[in-house]
Amino acid sequence: MKLTDIQQMTEQDMAIDDLELDRASLDTPQLHNKYLQLYTQEALTFRKIDSDFKRVYKSKWEYYTGKADPEVYKAAPFDLKILKQDVQMYLDADPELDKLQSKLIYQKEKINYLENILKSLNSRTFHIKNAIEWKKFTHGTI
């Protein structure tokens, strides 16, 4: 699921109708469950991408340091001898690693967004209660 899809879904789900505060309060546990499930799925996806990144990173490190299997160099020759201190520069510039790192960053942003939604849902009933108290105050019931 894309971050924009989650944002659009959140915009709809988090809207509170001022005339149906009771309904919004009752919907909160279902919304919390919905976003907790999304959070869990996205966190598992992050762990998978992170694992893939580490595996490819090791493979690329072996490649750039000259420690990879000779068959690897037959398929993709690398004739440069680089210094140990320069290996990181080659790893940082590697397109495959860069693509995986971009996926990791994007996935982390989705997880952060979902964490914030869950925090907001945890305080939603407090905000609804305050809205009800304000309505009572403005209508002279308190």
Side-chain angles (χ1 to χ4, degrees):
M1 178 174 275
K2 292 181 181 178
L3 180 59
T4 54
D5 295 339
I6 295 171
Q7 290 170 333
Q8 289 171 353
M9 187 171 44
T10 304
E11 191 174 318
Q12 293 172 349
D13 288 345
M14 298 297 274
I16 298 176
D17 185 352
D18 200 27
L19 300 175
E20 293 187 10
L21 294 173
D22 58 333
R23 184 81 169 134
S25 181
L26 294 173
D27 288 345
T28 301
Q30 289 84 7
L31 287 174
H32 190 274
N33 184 47
K34 175 182 177 179
Y35 286 99
L36 184 59
Q37 287 178 5
L38 276 173
Y39 173 82
T40 304
Q41 291 170 356
E42 297 299 337
L44 289 172
T45 302
F46 175 81
R47 287 186 185 102
K48 166 90 172 74
I49 296 169
D50 188 46
S51 176
D52 291 345
F53 177 81
K54 288 175 182 174
R55 183 182 40 76
V56 172
Y57 186 91
K58 179 185 175 273
S59 162
K60 294 293 185 171
W61 180 85
E62 288 174 345
Y63 177 75
Y64 289 122
T65 57
K67 297 177 182 179
D69 189 76
E71 294 298 317
V72 173
Y73 296 109
K74 287 181 184 174
F78 187 72
D79 297 330
L80 295 176
K81 291 286 185 192
I82 57 175
L83 299 172
K84 275 187 180 181
Q85 70 234 26
D86 294 338
V87 172
Q88 191 60 48
M89 181 179 62
Y90 283 86
L91 289 169
D92 290 342
D94 189 86
E96 189 176 1
L97 284 175
D98 187 48
K99 184 177 176 182
L100 282 171
Q101 192 165 29
S102 294
K103 281 184 179 182
L104 271 175
I105 292 168
Y106 182 75
Q107 195 65 30
K108 187 64 177 167
E109 288 303 316
K110 287 197 290 186
I111 290 170
N112 288 338
Y113 187 76
L114 287 165
E115 282 176 352
N116 287 325
I117 292 168
L118 289 169
K119 287 178 187 174
S120 177
L121 283 168
N122 285 335
S123 62
R124 182 178 165 121
T125 53
F126 175 75
H127 294 299
I128 292 170
K129 181 180 182 269
N130 281 346
I132 291 170
E133 292 298 320
W134 178 253
K135 281 186 169 269
K136 285 181 184 179
F137 176 75
T138 58
H139 288 92
T141 350
I142 294 180

